[in-house]
Amino acid sequence: MTLLFTTMDPWMNNGGILVGGLDVHIYRDGGWRVLHDRALYIEPTHYGLLYTYTPFSALAFLPLVLVPWGAVTTTWLVLNLAVLFGCVLQSWRMLGYRVTPRLAVVSALITLACVFAEPVRTTLYYGQINLWLMLLVLWDFSRAEHSKLRGLGVGIAAGIKLTPLYFVAQYLARRQWRAAATAALTFVASIGLTALVLPRDSYQYWTSTFFQSGRIAPDVHAANQSLRGAIAHLTHGPAPVWLWLLVAIPIALLALWLAAALARRGEPLLSVTLGGLTACAVSPYSWGHHWVWFVPLMVYLIHRAQTRGRWWLTAGALYIAIAAWTYTYTPTWVSVGTFLLPPWWPGAQIMMNIYVVIYLLVLIGIVRLLRSAPPQPDPIAPIIINPPAAEQDSPTAPVVHLPRITDGAHPDDNRPATVD
């Protein structure tokens, strides 16, 4: 939190964390247009920007209309922080930890630390929806394999924003046919429901707007942290579709296989986290704030660090790489994020594609993890925040608790901020 408020003035126009909310106002405007029978896609919304999400998302954003226009930014910021805390807590639960007051305090501290991670910081600044979608998916994958609700969260998330459709493929790769079917049918139902309520906007979106990728931004934009963006950055021009597909399809298939293998190994959190990271990597365009899946990855690394101290180095390196570092080019031009640091710095090509680089390192790490022998009980007592339920119930499990803690051009634009 100290870094968040010292690296950039929180009240700085077009950059300060406390004066953002551009995207959430567009979400609210979408809901308002539904109530007032105004076109979603052929008219500009807030600040003259275009609405890019599905028609179903506008229905999902209807509750925002109840929030007064002037209070939308603050309200959404507080709600996003609560959802971020929920994501951290849900990550611990998927690792087998019981929710206790101590775990809640630790989760709150991790939540505060993650606020300075660029994907989270930018999500909070713009008032984005990413954290909500991630919580839906985490909740979905935490359901019992035979639960009738499993797949519902993925379907709803995909109905709002198409990227979570990747998780339907992940259910299929894990041979969880019922969950995959539930997710797919929920997604289709979201289209059907919206077609009944908003027939004109639904027709416009699925026959025209859906195919207009230019509504987002050129793939050469430095903020495009995807495989296609990396190709564009390295070739200094638009990435050929054939080349992007030649790289993205094999990686997507490999990630599906690895995710299924992780699930069989008893690593549910790492499995779904890999899915979230892969969806960002193979997407034609991924803004930095789409990579909020680094948050459960950070929780996983901290979990591993409880019994292997070297994992702290990995967690620290990840945090440094994804932090919201700022650079002031001029008194009126400030950038946020490692990938927007000056291109003339040493290692600029790595920094410009840092999230893709991290993703590839994660793939390598998971391959090594799966090739290693199954984890054996550690002869040394692990120092853990709160033991997973399975360990806590064991009368022979050695546990040492930690001491208690006392009381721009586009709505998604991630370009350098301007100072008033």
Side-chain angles (χ1 to χ4, degrees), residues 130-149:
N130 308 304
L131 294 170
W132 294 75
L133 301 180
M134 182 168 67
L135 184 59
L136 271 173
V137 174
L138 287 173
W139 171 82
D140 207 43
F141 275 79
S142 69
R143 300 300 89 199
E145 289 194 12
H146 300 292
S147 170
K148 294 181 179 180
L149 295 178

Side-chain angles (χ1 to χ4, degrees), residues 33 37 43 51 64 84 129 137 148 172 180 189 209 227 232 243 255 257 259 261 270 298 325 343 389 399 407:
R33 287 173 178 276
D37 195 28
E43 298 177 4
Y51 197 86
L64 287 173
L84 174 60
I129 192 70
V137 174
K148 294 181 179 180
L172 292 174
T209 304
L227 289 167
L243 181 56
W257 182 83
L270 189 55
M298 182 68 69
W325 306 117
V399 174
D407 304 323

Side-chain angles (χ1 to χ4, degrees), residues 13-30 44-53 61 64 69-74 76-77 80 121-129 287 289 408-417:
N13 188 40
N14 295 331
I17 189 68
L18 299 179
V19 290
L22 175 62
D23 286 4
V24 70
H25 279 87
I26 293 176
Y27 300 161
R28 186 184 185 279
D29 188 72
T45 63
H46 184 51
Y47 268 73
L49 300 172
L50 297 174
Y51 197 86
T52 59
Y53 287 2
F61 295 141
L64 287 173
W69 184 266
V72 171
T73 297
T74 302
W76 196 250
L77 177 64
N80 255 335
R121 193 262 185 212
T122 310
T123 289
L124 296 176
Y125 169 67
Y126 284 116
Q128 262 284 336
I129 192 70
W287 298 95
H289 55 72
H410 179 270
D412 290 347
D413 205 340
N414 217 7
R415 290 178 295 181

Side-chain angles (χ1 to χ4, degrees), residues 98 387-397:
R98 285 184 174 148
E391 295 180 11
Q392 203 171 49
D393 291 338
S394 172
T396 59

Side-chain angles (χ1 to χ4, degrees), residues 80-247:
N80 255 335
L81 286 172
V83 172
L84 174 60
F85 173 76
C87 290
V88 173
L89 204 59
Q90 183 63 37
S91 297
W92 286 118
R93 292 187 68 245
M94 293 184 70
L95 287 168
Y97 290 78
R98 285 184 174 148
V99 177
T100 64
R102 180 174 301 184
L103 185 64
V105 170
V106 172
S107 296
L109 294 176
I110 294 175
T111 296
L112 293 178
C114 285
V115 169
F116 188 63
E118 185 277 330
V120 175
R121 193 262 185 212
T122 310
T123 289
L124 296 176
Y125 169 67
Y126 284 116
Q128 262 284 336
I129 192 70
N130 308 304
L131 294 170
W132 294 75
L133 301 180
M134 182 168 67
L135 184 59
L136 271 173
V137 174
L138 287 173
W139 171 82
D140 207 43
F141 275 79
S142 69
R143 300 300 89 199
E145 289 194 12
H146 300 292
S147 170
K148 294 181 179 180
L149 295 178
R150 193 172 175 89
L152 183 65
V154 166
I156 294 174
I160 296 173
K161 193 172 182 178
L162 300 177
T163 307
L165 279 174
Y166 180 84
F167 292 102
V168 178
Q170 187 159 323
Y171 275 137
L172 292 174
R174 294 171 60 169
R175 300 183 179 182
Q176 296 179 7
W177 317 119
R178 181 174 185 168
T182 300
L185 290 174
T186 302
F187 172 68
V188 172
S190 74
I191 297 176
L193 171 65
T194 313
L196 294 175
V197 180
L198 304 172
R200 179 186 59 193
D201 291 319
S202 294
Y203 180 82
Q204 170 68 28
Y205 181 82
W206 293 110
T207 62
S208 178
T209 304
F210 174 74
F211 301 99
Q212 298 172 11
S213 59
R215 293 170 70 98
I216 303 176
D219 55 12
V220 295
H221 198 298
N224 185 7
Q225 293 296 296
S226 68
L227 289 167
R228 186 172 182 176
I231 294 171
H233 300 157
L234 294 174
T235 58
H236 305 289
V241 174
W242 67 266
L243 181 56
W244 163 57
L245 294 176
L246 187 65
V247 175

